Amino acid sequence: MKLDTVVFDLDGTVVDTVSGITHAVNTALRARGLTELVDDETRQYVGLGGQALVSAALEKSGASLDLATEVQEAYLTAYAADPGHLAAAYPGAEELLKRLRARGVRLALCTNKSGRITGGMLAALGLDEAFDAVVSGDELPYRKPDPRHLLDSVRLAGGTAALMVGDSISDVRAARAAGAPVVCVSFGYGIQGLEPDSWIDAFDDFESDVLVREALLGDL
């Protein structure tokens, strides 16, 4: 069966968000006199969600985890105030989305990031019209790696069968459970130990990938 939809993850896949996340969480930490993070520390937790990141930051400071809810709320408030700050689409991402859409491929974004931050970030980067559906982590009663998050993204994009493009274990597990092939980007955040169906090193390589050609594009 030829696939008609590509579902993209956001953080570490379409957009490099690490520095913006670090800035936002450090805003919350700094206000409480806690030790700040660096990008390399943030990168380890991006695919695991904000709660894991905040807990790691508190542990680094030797602070009580009782502060987690307070710091989490402050972090998200700072992030939502300027979600596009220090964020940048990866080279070739926007051009790939345009090429796929021109071929009639349906496009969905499936992210565990909150909707208010996702929407603001896409608008800031000029990508708010790039997808047929954008499904964030707080719009449904489930999120990746639950396959329903991926499957609903496909449905809302008007598609029937999808290829997943991501960079984390949540992306791979969601795709596997949904019966969808998965391609991972080698420049992402959570790539250690992943076993996707295929790897790409740059979005310029996407259409030349054997899996993509056979499952999605057919003969070029």
Side-chain angles (χ1 to χ4, degrees):
M1 178 180 181
K2 184 178 178 180
L3 307 182
D4 57 13
T5 307
V6 179
V7 180
F8 289 89
D9 172 52
L10 178 62
D11 298 87
T13 302
V14 174
V15 180
D16 185 356
T17 57
V18 162
S19 294
I21 293 172
T22 300
H23 174 80
V25 75
N26 282 347
T27 298
L29 296 171
R30 191 181 310 118
R32 291 157 180 80
L34 300 174
T35 305
E36 298 181 24
L37 300 177
V38 297
D39 283 352
D40 283 345
E41 292 170 316
T42 300
R43 189 174 287 107
Q44 300 176 46
Y45 293 94
V46 171
L48 302 178
Q51 292 181 349
L53 176 64
V54 167
S55 294
L58 293 175
E59 291 177 4
K60 179 181 178 179
S61 293
S64 172
L65 291 179
D66 291 341
L67 291 173
T69 298
E70 174 188 330
V71 174
Q72 171 84 355
E73 292 177 355
Y75 151 59
L76 292 176
T77 297
Y79 201 3
D82 191 5
H85 182 60
L86 300 177
Y90 283 106
E94 185 173 3
E95 293 78 8
L96 172 61
L97 295 173
K98 290 178 180 178
R99 292 197 304 271
L100 291 175
R101 176 163 280 178
R103 295 184 67 94
V105 177
R106 310 300 293 178
L107 301 174
L109 186 74
C110 181
T111 175
N112 285 346
K113 190 182 289 295
S114 71
R116 60 174 176 164
I117 295 174
T118 298
M121 179 178 295
L122 293 177
L125 297 176
L127 296 174
D128 45 332
E129 300 295 329
F131 298 94
D132 297 295
V134 175
V135 185
S136 301
D138 54 1
E139 296 182 28
L140 301 170
Y142 37 79
R143 57 195 297 184
K144 295 180 297 184
D146 191 311
R148 293 174 294 177
H149 196 184
L150 171 57
L151 292 171
D152 280 356
S153 299
V154 177
R155 177 180 57 81
L156 291 170
T160 57
L163 169 73
M164 178 76 205
V165 181
D167 76 316
S168 74
I169 190 61
S170 293
D171 298 322
V172 173
R173 287 176 176 170
R176 293 279 183 252
V182 55
V183 173
C184 282
V185 295
S186 63
F187 48 80
Y189 302 149
I191 65 171
Q192 297 299 319
L194 297 186
E195 296 183 356
D197 297 302
S198 189
W199 288 95
I200 58 170
D201 296 323
F203 283 125
D204 289 345
D205 301 333
F206 188 78
E207 289 99 328
S208 61
D209 181 83
V210 173
L211 171 65
V212 173
R213 289 172 63 97
E214 292 181 349
L216 184 72
L217 301 178
D219 294 329
L220 295 180

